[in-house]
């Protein structure tokens, strides 16, 4: 069984570890490094995996290492891990937003097989969406290993052009927050018209789930699904005309552009730090 280590035991690591264990991966093959004692205790209790305060200890025996720390932490951990990585030459998988393959190669040592990926928080319930991109050192078997880890959390798509990873981040990495914001806005609008908050929340959230399931399970074009809801001269048409008048596609395009640009900025900021 492949030995797997997570560096950083926060939200995303927890989501990915939970998904993997559900697929039958043995807890004894997974370790995590996490500086916060309380988080270590929770991870150990919840998953029965080995938890370490020191990155080097968690990484020592691993064939695959998942870097699950905030982008700004990356330059700080390379000094601790570089020797171990150069000696063992594991597959390195980074989930950090913005951080480029060439930066990871520079920090952790050239010649390492590295996969940069971008999962999202629905990974916690097995409904994640992940884009992955590999450097030229990653073998077909290692690609399959990386895909197996992320498949446990939902769907995966390989992205050949790394420049598009910031777009993936802006689309599906940050994307859950856009849908939560829409549900918040729908709820607020309905409450303003007098609907009780819990009723508004339940109806808005279930509508989000229902629309999502129709998209994923039916596989039909969203435009077609939209048209089926929209009776000529009915209520939906009134709402969609209001969205169009307010420039919804433009608003969304600007938001995705802002997130994409922020991904590139994060990487540039790290270049200045390291
Ligand atoms: N939250 C999200 O929706 C997504 C986040 N990401 C990426 O995943 C990465 C982790 O994000 P989250 O899990 O949300 O953050 P988080 O803050 O929940 O987890 C990061 C963990 O790293 C630990 N840590 C801090 N310094 C450390 C060090 N020197 N060595 C080892 N561990 C250390 C922290 O104590 C924390 O538990 C980020 O790079 C983020 O860009 C990727 C996809 C989605
Ligand atoms: O907001 C962020 O930077 C991270 C990356 C994608 C989702 N959360």
């Amino acid at each position: 069984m492949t030995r797997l280590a997570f560096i950083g035991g926060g939200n995303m690591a927890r989501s990915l570890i939970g998904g993997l264990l559900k697929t039958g991966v043995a807890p004894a093959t997974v370790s995590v490094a996490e500086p916060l004692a309380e988080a270590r205790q929770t991870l150990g209790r919840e998953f029965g995996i080995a938890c370490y305060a020191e990155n080097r200890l968690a990484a020592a025996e691993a064939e695959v290492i998942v870097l699950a720390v905030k982008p700004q932490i990356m330059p700080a951990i390379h000094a601790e891990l570089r020797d171990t990585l150069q000696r063992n030459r594991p597959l390195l998988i980074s989930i950090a937003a913005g951080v480029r393959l060439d930066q990871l190669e520079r920090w952790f040592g050239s010649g390492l097989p590295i996969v940069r990926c971008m999962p999202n928080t629905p990974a916690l319930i097995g409904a994640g969406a992940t884009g992955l991109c590999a450097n030229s050192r990653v073998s077909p078997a290692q690609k399959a290993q990386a895909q197996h880890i992320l498949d446990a959390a939902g769907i995966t798509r390989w992205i050949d052009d790394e420049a598009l990873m910031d777009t993936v981040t802006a689309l599906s990495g940050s994307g859950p927050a856009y849908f939560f914001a829409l549900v918040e806005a729908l709820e607020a609008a309905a409450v303003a018209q007098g609907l009780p908050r819990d009723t508004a929340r339940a109806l808005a959230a279930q509508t989000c789930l229902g629309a999502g399931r129709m998209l994923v399970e039916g596989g039909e074009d969203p435009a077609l699904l939209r048209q089926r809801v929209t009776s000529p001269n009915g209520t939906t048409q009134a709402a969609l005309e209001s969205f169009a008048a307010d420039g919804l596609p433009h608003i969304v395009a600007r938001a995705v552009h802002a997130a994409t640009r922020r991904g590139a900025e994060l990487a540039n900021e790290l270049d200045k730090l390291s």
Side-chain angles (χ1 to χ4, degrees):
M1 287 265 250
T2 305
R3 284 184 303 261
L4 180 62
F6 284 79
I7 305 301
N11 291 319
M12 290 310 298
R14 171 176 270 104
S15 303
L16 297 177
I17 293 167
L20 274 172
L21 297 188
K22 272 192 205 138
T23 67
V25 167
T29 62
V30 182
S31 62
V32 60
E34 167 56 50
L36 301 178
E38 206 182 315
R40 282 199 303 279
Q41 275 165 13
T42 310
L43 286 161
R45 202 173 42 239
E46 201 175 334
F47 298 127
I49 58 177
C51 301
Y52 299 91
E54 277 185 52
N55 293 332
R56 238 191 305 245
L57 293 178
E61 305 289 325
E63 292 143 277
V64 179
I65 296 182
V66 181
L67 302 173
V69 294
K70 295 283 184 201
Q72 293 80 359
I73 303 290
M74 283 289 180
I77 62 173
H78 76 77
E80 290 171 74
L81 289 178
R82 198 181 161 99
D83 287 350
T84 310
L85 298 189
Q86 285 302 314
R87 190 171 55 248
N88 299 349
R89 309 196 77 70
L91 169 64
L92 207 55
I93 300 177
S94 164
I95 67 166
V99 178
R100 297 188 311 265
L101 287 167
D102 68 287
Q103 292 177 307
L104 294 162
E105 285 163 5
R106 181 150 39 87
W107 297 328
F108 293 97
S110 60
L112 284 178
I114 307 180
V115 169
R116 169 182 173 185
C117 71
M118 180 43 54
N120 62 11
T121 54
L124 191 58
I125 56 164
T130 301
L132 306 103
C133 180
N135 76 358
S136 60
R137 304 283 177 163
V138 177
S139 69
Q142 288 171 321
K143 260 185 125 171
Q145 263 179 330
Q147 185 165 340
H148 174 75
I149 292 167
L150 277 310
D151 274 345
I155 70 154
T156 50
R157 290 288 183 276
W158 285 96
I159 308 296
D160 293 332
D161 178 1
E162 195 197 350
L164 291 172
M165 284 301 287
D166 287 331
T167 305
V168 170
T169 305
L171 171 66
S172 49
S174 298
Y178 313 158
F179 290 96
F180 299 141
L182 183 60
V183 167
E184 285 178 78
L186 284 170
E187 182 185 318
V191 168
Q193 292 187 19
L195 212 60
R197 185 167 292 281
D198 59 341
T199 303
R201 167 87 46 97
L203 294 177
Q206 181 68 14
T207 302
C208 190
L209 173 70
R213 281 188 58 189
M214 285 179 81
L215 274 167
V216 172
E217 292 171 17
E220 286 181 301
D221 191 320
L224 190 65
L225 293 169
R226 172 174 52 75
Q227 280 159 21
R228 283 199 203 121
V229 188
T230 312
S231 309
N233 213 19
T235 61
T236 316
Q237 186 178 323
L240 293 176
E241 283 174 1
S242 173
F243 272 149
D246 288 340
L248 181 68
H250 180 65
I251 290 170
V252 172
R254 274 170 56 83
V256 170
H257 185 70
T260 306
R261 195 178 52 227
R262 183 65 194 133
E265 278 171 13
L266 279 170
N268 291 338
E269 286 167 14
L270 293 180
D271 273 337
K272 285 181 200 137
L273 279 179
S274 57

